[in-house]
């Protein structure tokens, strides 16, 4: 079918005589009359740079997006030294302005989180199959180190449930904590050391973007699945079961619960569920009335005190209630000599350290940034990685296991009015007093209370609202969340996490290998071109097919894009034949969103041009970005395309090409 030249000319004559109306200002800007030539702007190459300059710029963008040396510019050597110390040790920055008023707030918040951290430390250590005293050790040394190196004012440091669960699960699969407790301790301390090395290395090498593969959707599902498993594991303590499975999957745990019904203790059940109800009630009070945060903060320690007194009073009659027993007094003993750097379990400790390090680092940075945003200050991610890493490395040498910033304790710290990291020093001081003088008081503390405290703490990790939001916004994110949840619940904690990460990576690959392409149309009375599907008022331009690619063009997607472009052409020709419109003559590809291209992408464009030329179709490229234009120039593709096939805007391309089709007078 021949070209309907009158219709094309009428369209462009109408477009040239129309006015552009701003959405913000009602002033009409007249367009140039049709007899004037369309002004076409050249697509220029970027400024010439050496390979070294390009590499330097690229590496700077990757590893130093925040420009950490910005504050050192134009400073004296003395000032640079001070800034360097403040950068390495944030305490040197805020410590210069510290005063008594700030200390009053910090001491209140420090004592408040200590009332929560002490029972939680004991509980989480048992979750990791470690002696309860290790949980208290881990609440003493790490907070002191973080207060010097950390950049968050509100992060409260100590053991956390997820890292404890993962460590306990991974190590218990190979070594029994009851049959060989010394070896188990060695592996736990060594895994903590490797976790710290990994975390500090990420901060030192500025590789924090690696932990971004743990997407929010992955973490929502992982946390919920781990919370359910942790809660179910505590049925051992709540029911008073002596012989219980060491596995961490839903089916074995529930099977073990009902296979040992003869071991259930009614005294333990009554006490456990009674205090669990008390803890959950105080938690709900604090959620509904945030000013009463201290109610849930003090509830765990209150439960420990009351239950210990109760067991002491009825110890002769309550034989079914097990209790902690003797805990050693004194400061953290050194454990450097216990680090395990050779033997058959070395690979296990490295793997455990890597996974617990990633999880604890992700949680710590996320919590720190959350509370920093509420107070309008910035937390340096790389400093946090180094602080948490060095904290765990030092902790592994002082009988501590993996620690990080806890959300529950940090929330209490924030609500209690913490102003600086001194609240962590106050916490450590309170734990120090406990270690030196109060350990005998925990002798009759029932294990069922520790189970109730753990259940109350992990319930907050089940965020069903976030899961529903994922379903509404992004189905692939929801799939990652569900895979993570059921993977942890029915397979294992590490494999569940691996499955979720795999789904997240698959999502990335899907976006890279199958990028979005859209057909553009002209919005009437403007020179704006937008998606025909998105903007119903947009209309097709006769004889033109205008496409937009919304991603870089790489080897991974070049074949797909080649096939998709030809399909768009085929579908457009079919539509034109059915509606008897003007013959298709020109294909315009808007490359505004193509941020990068490689040799495969360049070859794809060349091949596409050749195929279209054989079909008497012109291929035009619009607005390639600087790096893309430079690569196309160096590959000599511009010689085959010609600069007449490059335009700065779609409007200029349409106007100039259409004008060339008009019959000359």
């Amino acid at each position: 079918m021949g070209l309907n030249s009158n219709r094309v000319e009428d369209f462009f004559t109408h477009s040239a005589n129309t006015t552009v109306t701003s959405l913000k200002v009602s002033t009409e800007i007249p367009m140039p009359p049709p007899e004037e030539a369309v002004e076409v702007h050249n697509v220029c190459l970027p400024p010439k740079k050496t390979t070294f300059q390009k590499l330097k710029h690229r590496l700077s963008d990757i590893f130093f997006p925040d420009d950490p040396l910005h504050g050192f510019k134009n400073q004296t050597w003395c000032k640079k030294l001070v800034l360097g110390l403040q950068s390495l040790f944030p305490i040197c920055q805020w410590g210069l302005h510290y005063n008594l008023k700030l200390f009053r707030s910090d001491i209140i918040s420090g004592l408040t989180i200590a009332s929560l951290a002490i029972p939680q430390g004991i509980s989480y250590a048992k979750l990791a199959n470690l002696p309860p005293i290790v949980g208290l050790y881990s609440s003493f040394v790490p907070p002191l180190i973080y207060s010097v190196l950390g950049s968050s004012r509100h992060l409260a440091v100590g053991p956390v449930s997820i890292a404890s669960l993962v460590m306990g699960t991974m190590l218990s699969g190979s070594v029994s904590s009851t049959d060989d407790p010394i070896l188990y301790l060695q592996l736990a301390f060594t895994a903590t050391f490797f976790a710290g090395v990994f975390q500090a290395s990420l901060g030192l090498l500025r590789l924090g973007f690696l932990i971004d593969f743990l997407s929010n959707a992955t973490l929502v599902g992982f946390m919920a699945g781990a919370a359910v498993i942790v809660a179910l594991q505590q049925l051992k303590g709540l029911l008073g079961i002596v012989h219980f499975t060491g596995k961490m999957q839903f089916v074995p745990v529930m099977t073990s619960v009902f296979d040992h019904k003869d071991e259930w203790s009614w005294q333990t059940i009554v006490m456990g569920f009674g205090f669990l109800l008390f803890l959950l009630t105080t938690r709900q009070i604090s959620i509904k009335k945030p000013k009463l945060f201290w109610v849930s903060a003090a509830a765990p320690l209150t439960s420990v005190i009351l239950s210990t007194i109760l067991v002491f009073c009825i110890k002769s009659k309550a034989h079914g209630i097990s209790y902690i027993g003797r805990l050693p007094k004194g400061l953290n003993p050194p454990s450097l000599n216990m680090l395990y750097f050779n033997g058959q379990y070395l690979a296990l400790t490295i793997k455990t350290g890597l996974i617990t390090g990633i999880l604890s680092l992700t949680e710590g940075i996320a919590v720190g940034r959350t509370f920093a945003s509420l107070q309008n200050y910035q937390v340096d991610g790389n400093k946090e990685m180094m602080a948490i890493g060095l904290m765990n490395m030092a902790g592994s040498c002082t009988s501590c296991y993996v620690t990080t910033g806890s959300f529950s304790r940090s929330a209490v710290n924030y609500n209690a009015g913490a102003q600086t990291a001194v609240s962590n020093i106050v916490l450590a001081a309170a734990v120090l007093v406990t270690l030196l003088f109060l350990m005998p008081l925990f002798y009759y503390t029932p294990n069922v209370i520790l189970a109730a405290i753990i259940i109350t703490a992990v319930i907050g990790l089940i965020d069903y609202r976030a899961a529903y939001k994922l379903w509404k916004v992004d189905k692939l994110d929801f799939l990652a969340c569900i895979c993570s949840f059921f993977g942890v619940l029915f397979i294992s904690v590490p494999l569940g996490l691996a499955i979720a990460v795999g789904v997240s990576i698959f999502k990335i690959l899907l976006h890279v290998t199958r990028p979005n392409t859209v057909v553009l149309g002209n919005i009437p009375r403007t020179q704006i071109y937008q998606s025909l599907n998105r903007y119903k008022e947009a209309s097709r331009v006769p004889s033109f097919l205008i496409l937009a690619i919304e991603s870089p063009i790489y080897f991974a997607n070049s074949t797909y894009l080649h096939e998709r472009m030809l399909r768009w052409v085929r579908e457009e020709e079919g539509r034109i034949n059915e509606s008897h419109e003007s013959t298709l003559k020109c294909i315009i590809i808007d490359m505004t969103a193509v941020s990068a291209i490689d040799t495969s992408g360049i070859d794809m464009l060349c091949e596409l041009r050749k195929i279209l030329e054989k079909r008497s179709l012109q291929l035009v490229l619009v607005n390639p970005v600087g790096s893309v234009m430079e690569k196309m120039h160096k590959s000599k593709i511009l010689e085959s395309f010609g600069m007449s096939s490059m335009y700065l805007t779609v409007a200029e391309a349409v106007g100039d090409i259409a004008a060339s089709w008009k019959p000359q007078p």
Side-chain angles (χ1 to χ4, degrees), residues 76-397:
T76 63
W77 281 106
C78 183
K79 182 66 174 177
K80 287 180 180 180
L81 179 61
V82 173
L83 290 173
L85 287 174
Q86 291 178 346
S87 177
L88 293 174
F89 306 102
I91 192 173
C92 297
Q93 188 172 359
W94 54 262
L96 298 174
H97 312 287
Y98 200 73
N99 54 44
L100 187 60
K101 182 180 178 181
L102 294 175
F103 181 67
R104 281 198 296 267
S105 299
D106 287 336
I107 196 170
I108 293 172
S109 57
L111 292 174
T112 305
I113 57 174
S115 67
L116 178 64
I118 291 171
Q120 277 192 351
I122 296 174
S123 304
Y124 291 157
K126 290 184 71 67
L127 189 60
N129 299 319
L130 293 167
I133 191 65
V134 175
L136 288 180
Y137 291 156
S138 302
S139 300
F140 172 52
V141 172
L144 289 176
I145 297 174
Y146 182 83
S147 63
V148 176
L149 300 174
S151 60
S152 172
R153 304 174 195 166
H154 301 98
L155 199 68
V157 170
V160 292
S161 57
I162 297 301
S164 302
L165 168 70
V166 172
M167 176 171 284
T169 304
M170 295 185 71
L171 295 183
S172 297
S174 300
V175 178
S176 172
S177 59
T178 53
D179 296 340
D180 201 343
I182 301 300
L183 177 60
Y184 189 89
L185 266 179
Q186 288 179 314
L187 299 184
F189 295 151
T190 308
T192 301
F193 176 80
F194 283 121
V197 169
F198 174 71
Q199 292 165 337
S201 299
L202 287 182
L204 183 64
L205 301 176
R206 305 182 73 83
L207 298 174
F209 61 86
L210 294 177
I211 67 172
D212 292 338
F213 282 102
L214 278 177
S215 65
N216 178 61
T218 299
L219 289 175
V220 167
F222 177 80
M223 293 287 191
V228 172
I229 285 296
V230 169
L232 292 177
Q233 271 283 337
Q234 303 319 303
L235 291 175
K236 173 186 177 181
L238 282 178
L239 302 176
I241 299 174
V242 178
H243 303 92
F244 200 73
T245 180
K247 297 181 179 180
M248 300 296 290
Q249 295 85 33
F250 178 82
V251 175
V253 169
M254 296 308 298
T255 301
S256 183
V257 168
F258 291 103
D259 284 349
H260 297 93
K261 286 189 291 186
D262 55 318
E263 296 182 7
W264 292 12
S265 167
W266 69 267
Q267 298 104 321
T268 302
I269 293 173
V270 170
M271 176 179 286
F273 282 94
F275 277 101
L276 180 60
L277 180 63
F278 167 70
L279 290 168
L280 292 175
T281 302
T282 57
R283 183 176 180 272
Q284 285 300 117
I285 291 173
S286 296
I287 290 174
K288 292 182 178 179
K289 296 183 178 180
K291 291 185 178 180
L292 298 178
F293 67 91
W294 54 269
V295 174
S296 62
L301 187 59
T302 303
S303 300
V304 168
I305 294 172
L306 293 177
S307 62
T308 301
I309 293 173
L310 181 61
V311 170
F312 177 76
C313 294
I314 63 171
K315 60 180 183 293
S316 59
K317 300 178 181 179
H319 298 292
I321 302 177
S322 63
Y323 44 83
I324 292 177
R326 179 181 174 275
L327 294 177
K329 291 197 300 182
L331 295 178
N332 300 33
S335 56
L336 180 62
N337 61 327
M338 296 185 69
L339 296 184
Y340 184 98
F341 291 129
N342 53 58
Q344 60 176 326
Y345 299 113
L346 180 60
L348 173 65
T349 60
I350 294 175
K351 184 171 69 172
T352 304
L354 184 66
I355 294 178
T356 55
I358 291 174
L359 290 174
S360 59
L361 194 60
T362 303
E363 181 175 356
I365 292 178
V367 172
R369 285 176 174 168
T370 298
F371 291 105
S373 64
L374 296 176
Q375 288 293 312
N376 197 29
Y377 69 93
Q378 192 170 357
V379 168
D380 189 319
N382 289 293
K383 287 182 183 177
E384 289 296 285
M385 292 178 201
M386 292 191 66
I388 295 174
L390 293 173
M391 177 178 78
N392 281 315
M393 290 172 67
S396 67
C397 301

Side-chain angles (χ1 to χ4, degrees), residues 5 68 124 137 172 177 185 222 298-299 424 451 505 612-613 641 645:
S5 59
Y124 291 157
Y137 291 156
S172 297
S177 59
L185 266 179
F222 177 80
N424 276 299
I505 293 175
L612 294 177
E613 276 186 353
F641 266 81
S645 296

Side-chain angles (χ1 to χ4, degrees), residues 408-453:
S408 58
R409 287 193 291 275
S410 298
V412 170
N413 196 31
Y414 174 81
N415 289 321
Q419 298 296 317
T420 68
V422 170
S423 59
N424 276 299
I425 298 176
V426 176
L427 162 65
V431 174
L432 173 63
V433 172
T434 303
L435 288 170
L436 291 177
F437 306 109
L438 305 180
M439 297 313 297
L441 300 179
F442 290 97
Y443 187 90
Y444 288 104
T445 300
N447 288 312
V448 66
I449 290 302
L450 304 182
I453 290 172

